[in-house]
Amino acid sequence: MSTIFFAPPMPHPPAPVNKGWRIGLMIALGVLTLAPYAQTAWFGFVRYDDGVYVYENDVVRQGLTFDGLRYAFTSSVNGTWLPLAMLSHMLDCQLYGLNAGGHHLTNVVIHVAGVLALFAALVRMTGQWGPSAFAAALFGVHPLHVESVAWISERKDVLSALFWMLTLLAYARYAERPCGRRYGVVALLYAMGLMSKAMLVTLPCVLLLLDYWPLRRCEPLSFRRMMRLALEKVPLFIQAAAASWVAVLAQHHDKAMSSLDALPLSWRVSNALVAYVRYLGKIFWPDNLAIFYPHPLGSLPMPAVAGAAAFLVLLTVLALMRLRRTPYAAVGWFWFIGVLVPVIGLVQVGTQAMADRYVHIPLIGITIALAWGMRAMAMRLKLPKTALAAMGLGAVVLLAVLATMQARVWRSSESLFMQAATAVPRNDFAHYNLGSLYRDENRLDEAAREFALVIGSRDHDAKARRALAETYSTQGRLVEAQALLLESAKRHPNDAKMQADLGAALLRMGRTGEAAARFQRALELDPNLTEAEDNLAAAQLMLGHFAEAETALRHALALRPNDAVLHNNLGLALLGQGKREDGIRALREALRIDPAYAQARDLLLQVEGQQ
C-alpha cells in the first residue's frame, strides 16, 4: 500500500543532533518563554469574552461533566466550534474553580509546550539546532503573541498551536519512513488541532511547503512526484474541509459573519492587502499593540492599498526567483501569507481590521525565514558562531523584555482597554468598554465621558447613546437623558432597545402615556424584548388599563414562570379588575418564589385584612 498511497521518504534524513545540546536548549527555551508570562498568574479575568468562555458560562463553571462533554461537542461559542478548547476550560474550573491565576497558568504551560514542540520538529526536519532554537525562541517571546497567551479566552490559540507543532513533529517522523501507523498519528493530532481552533485548516498546505524544504521530498522535482505528495495529503484536506464546513455553520448560527452589504468585497480586499503589510510591520516593530483594531470601512486611500499590493507582489516574486538558492525564505513567506488567509478578512467575522492573535501561527513562517537567513548570511560573511549566537540572543532578549511590558497590559480590564484607546486613535470599541467598566464601578462621570466619545461611530453609536442616557438617568439628569434618547430614537427609529430605553426614561419622569406608546413600538420591532413587555405592563397598571396589563403579564409569565415581580404585578392587575381571589393567589405565588418580597407581602396583608 505504501508504494501506491504514500509518497517516498525524505532522501537524506538530517544527521542526529547531540542529545545534551538539545536538552540544554529545551530547558533554556522553556525558561525564556516562561519569563514574560509568569506574571499572569496574578492577573484576573477580563471583561471581554472571558465571561462567555468561563466565568459566566454555567456549563463550564461546573467543571468536567457529561453535560459539559455534550455541550463542548454540540454547541458553538462566539460563533466558533472548539470542543477541546472548551473541555480544557472545564478542566481548569475543575482544578482551580474561578481562580483566574490557574487559568492563566494553563495558557502559559501550553504555550511553553508549543515552543518546545516547534523546536523539536524543526530540529528533526533540519538537523540544525541553532536556527531551530532561534526560530522557536522568536515564536515564544514575540510581543504579538501576548494576546494569545495572556488572554484566557484565547486558550484556543495556544492549544491549537500546540497541536500544530505536534503534527509537524509527527509528520517529520513520518517523512523519514512513511507508513500507515505514522500517518495515523499525524491525522489524529491534526484532528485534535482542528477541534481546538478551525484556523488549522491551512496545515496540509504548509506540509506541502515543508515537503519542498527542509524535507526535500520533491527531489528530483517533477509533476508526478508533486501529485503524489498532494494525494498523500487528501485525508488531511478532507479533515480541513469538514472543519471549515462546521466553522461556517457555527458562524451562521451565531450570526457572527458580516454580510457583503455591511462590508463590501472591495473593502475587504483593500483591508486585507494593507493588513498583511501592517502585520509585517508589527512583527519587526511591535509597537502600539491593542486588543482591537477598528475596521477602516472603505476609508483606506487607494495609494496605500496599491502600495501594499505592490509590496506583497514584490516580496512574492523575490521569493520565487530565489526559490532554489534560499528555499527557506520562500517556504517562510508562503507559510506567512497562506496561513493568514482564513483570518485576513475576506470572510469577515467581527468588526476588527486585524488582530494580534491572528498572527500567532503565521509568524512562524517569518521566524523560519529569519533564522535560516541569518545562518546563511553568517556563513557568507564567515562570522564566528559565537557572534551569530550573541546577535540572536540579543534579539530574543529584547523581544522578551517587550513581551513582559506588553503582558502587564492584561493585568486588568481597565489597563487593557486604556492601552487600546491610547494605541489606536478613535478606538470606539475601547472607549465603549471603558465606559461600561466605569459605569459598573459607579464612576459615572468617567463613564459619561467615555460614552460621549463613542457617539457618532458607525458600529457603536446606538448602544453608546443608550448607555450614556442610562448613565445620565443614574445621575438624576433625567431631562438630559430624555433629550438624548429622543434625538437617538430619531436617528435609530428601528432600534427596539432605543425605544424601550426612551419609554423607561419617560416613565421615570411620570409621562406614563408617552412611555406606554414607546414600549408598544419597541415590541412591534422586537416581540421578544422582555424589558419592554414588563415595562409596558407596569405603565398600563399606572394608567389603570388592568385588562391589558393582565394580558401582557400572563404572556410574560408563560416564558418566565418563576419571576416574583411578574406575579406581584399580575396580582395588582387582577385586583384592579375586581378579581379578588385570583389576585390573592398571584400575590401568594410571588411570596412563595421570594418570601422576602415586601411589596407583595404588604399588599397581601392589606387585601386579606379587608375581608
Side-chain angles (χ1 to χ4, degrees):
M1 178 178 175
S2 61
T3 59
I4 298 174
F5 179 74
F6 299 117
M10 51 198 301
H12 306 291
V17 179
N18 181 278
K19 186 177 180 180
W21 271 110
R22 186 184 299 188
I23 293 174
L25 277 173
M26 292 186 79
I27 293 174
L29 278 172
V31 172
L32 183 66
T33 305
L34 180 64
Y37 298 111
Q39 60 185 307
T40 63
W42 287 270
F43 294 176
F45 294 105
V46 295
R47 292 166 50 111
Y48 184 34
D49 284 356
D50 280 357
V52 175
Y53 284 100
V54 184
Y55 66 84
E56 291 177 350
N57 190 314
D58 293 335
V59 179
V60 172
R61 290 171 58 179
Q62 293 173 14
L64 287 172
T65 64
F66 287 111
D67 286 341
L69 183 65
R70 182 172 61 251
Y71 169 83
F73 280 93
T74 61
S75 304
S76 61
V77 181
N78 266 7
T80 53
W81 182 75
L82 54 169
L84 290 192
M86 295 309 296
L87 288 173
S88 75
H89 286 305
M90 294 175 196
L91 178 59
D92 275 359
C93 286
Q94 187 82 35
L95 296 175
Y96 313 116
L98 292 181
N99 177 4
H103 296 256
H104 280 295
L105 182 61
T106 300
N107 270 26
V108 175
V109 169
I110 294 173
H111 180 57
V112 171
V115 171
L116 299 181
L118 174 62
F119 171 66
L122 292 175
V123 167
R124 184 132 194 174
M125 286 188 284
T126 66
Q128 297 170 5
W129 58 266
S132 299
F134 183 56
L138 288 179
F139 172 73
V141 301
H142 199 286
L144 274 175
H145 291 339
V146 169
E147 184 173 293
S148 294
V149 183
W151 189 6
I152 291 172
S153 295
E154 282 308 302
R155 172 68 52 78
K156 53 186 177 287
D157 258 13
V158 291
L159 189 61
S160 62
L162 173 60
F163 283 116
W164 176 291
M165 311 312 173
L166 292 174
T167 303
L168 293 185
L169 184 58
Y171 186 74
R173 184 169 177 268
Y174 161 79
E176 295 169 3
R177 184 166 60 83
C179 66
R181 181 173 56 84
R182 294 189 175 193
Y183 191 94
V185 174
V186 173
L188 175 61
L189 290 170
Y190 181 47
M192 296 177 76
L194 290 171
M195 287 189 287
S196 303
K197 188 177 182 180
M199 187 175 170
L200 269 65
V201 293
T202 54
L203 181 52
C205 298
V206 170
L207 296 181
L208 286 171
L209 288 174
L210 296 175
D211 282 336
Y212 182 78
W213 182 90
L215 298 178
R216 297 178 296 163
R217 298 178 72 203
C218 301
E219 296 178 1
L221 189 61
S222 67
F223 176 78
R224 181 179 178 184
R225 185 173 290 264
M226 291 297 296
M227 284 301 299
R228 288 187 67 183
L229 289 169
L231 288 173
E232 179 188 58
K233 311 296 187 298
V234 165
L236 304 182
F237 280 116
I238 291 174
Q239 287 178 277
S244 300
W245 178 69
V246 171
V248 170
L249 286 180
Q251 288 161 6
H252 275 298
H253 178 267
D254 290 353
K255 299 179 181 178
M257 192 179 296
S258 298
S259 67
L260 287 173
D261 292 333
L263 279 177
L265 184 59
S266 59
W267 292 8
R268 301 181 188 214
V269 172
S270 298
N271 178 69
L273 293 171
V274 173
Y276 269 119
V277 177
R278 290 181 68 190
Y279 280 127
L280 283 172
K282 289 187 179 294
I283 289 173
F284 291 97
W285 192 263
D287 190 25
N288 289 331
L289 305 182
I291 192 174
F292 188 84
Y293 303 94
H295 200 286
L297 302 174
S299 64
L300 289 170
M302 282 310 298
V305 176
F311 182 67
L312 295 173
V313 169
L314 175 63
L315 290 181
T316 301
V317 170
L318 288 175
L320 291 172
M321 288 176 61
R322 298 183 60 84
L323 181 62
R324 292 188 179 278
R325 293 184 61 185
T326 58
Y328 49 82
V331 168
W333 175 246
F334 289 115
W335 177 316
F336 171 74
I337 289 287
V339 177
L340 263 175
V341 166
V343 289
I344 201 60
L346 298 177
V347 177
Q348 184 74 28
V349 178
T351 58
Q352 69 284 335
M354 53 189 286
D356 296 350
R357 59 190 178 275
Y358 290 165
V359 81
H360 190 63
I361 294 176
L363 187 143
I364 298 172
I366 302 299
T367 67
I368 288 173
L370 286 174
W372 270 266
M374 286 181 62
R375 176 178 179 273
M377 180 187 69
M379 292 177 64
R380 269 199 313 273
L381 299 177
K382 298 181 180 179
L383 291 177
K385 289 184 178 180
T386 52
L388 181 62
M391 290 169 55
L393 182 60
V396 169
V397 169
L398 175 60
L399 288 173
V401 171
L402 294 175
T404 302
M405 296 169 61
Q406 180 64 23
R408 290 174 187 163
V409 171
W410 289 83
R411 66 186 180 275
S412 70
S413 298
E414 183 175 6
S415 62
L416 178 64
F417 296 131
M418 285 186 68
Q419 161 69 12
T422 303
V424 182
R426 191 58 186 172
N427 196 332
D428 298 317
F429 167 89
H431 287 297
Y432 179 80
N433 280 279
L434 271 175
S436 299
L437 175 66
Y438 292 148
R439 181 187 58 196
D440 293 347
E441 293 179 351
N442 206 34
R443 297 159 64 180
L444 300 180
D445 289 338
E446 294 169 275
R449 182 195 65 214
E450 296 296 332
F451 289 137
L453 290 172
V454 184
I455 288 178
S457 73
R458 180 181 185 272
D459 295 317
H460 303 281
D461 180 71
K463 63 182 182 181
R465 289 173 179 274
R466 292 197 302 267
L468 181 56
E470 181 183 340
T471 305
Y472 283 161
S473 296
T474 306
Q475 292 176 304
R477 301 159 64 179
L478 299 181
V479 175
E480 291 173 87
Q482 180 208 353
L484 178 61
L485 287 169
L486 278 170
E487 179 193 353
S488 303
K490 293 176 183 177
R491 290 177 176 270
H492 305 279
N494 296 320
D495 188 319
K497 189 70 169 60
M498 189 76 74
Q499 296 289 337
D501 285 352
L502 177 55
L506 292 167
L507 195 61
R508 284 191 292 268
M509 297 179 70
R511 298 164 63 175
T512 311
E514 296 174 74
R518 293 293 179 175
F519 295 137
Q520 287 172 338
R521 174 58 181 157
L523 289 170
E524 289 172 7
L525 294 169
D526 182 1
N528 298 317
L529 191 60
T530 57
E531 61 191 271
E533 187 171 49
D534 293 351
N535 282 330
L536 175 59
Q540 288 169 333
L541 284 174
M542 294 178 190
L543 292 168
H545 300 163
F546 299 117
E548 293 86 344
E550 179 188 355
T551 301
L553 288 164
R554 290 196 183 279
H555 180 266
L557 281 167
L559 302 174
R560 289 170 289 149
N562 294 318
D563 191 314
V565 175
L566 292 179
H567 283 286
N568 177 75
N569 290 346
L570 178 61
L572 285 170
L574 291 168
L575 290 171
Q577 298 175 74
K579 301 177 181 179
R580 187 173 178 280
E581 294 302 321
D582 290 341
I584 289 174
R585 277 195 293 271
L587 293 173
R588 285 175 176 169
E589 181 64 15
L591 285 170
R592 185 193 66 79
I593 296 169
D594 182 4
Y597 196 170
Q599 183 180 349
R601 183 179 62 250
D602 293 345
L603 182 57
L604 182 60
L605 289 173
Q606 179 184 344
V607 174
E608 290 181 334
Q610 294 173 356
Q611 288 182 339

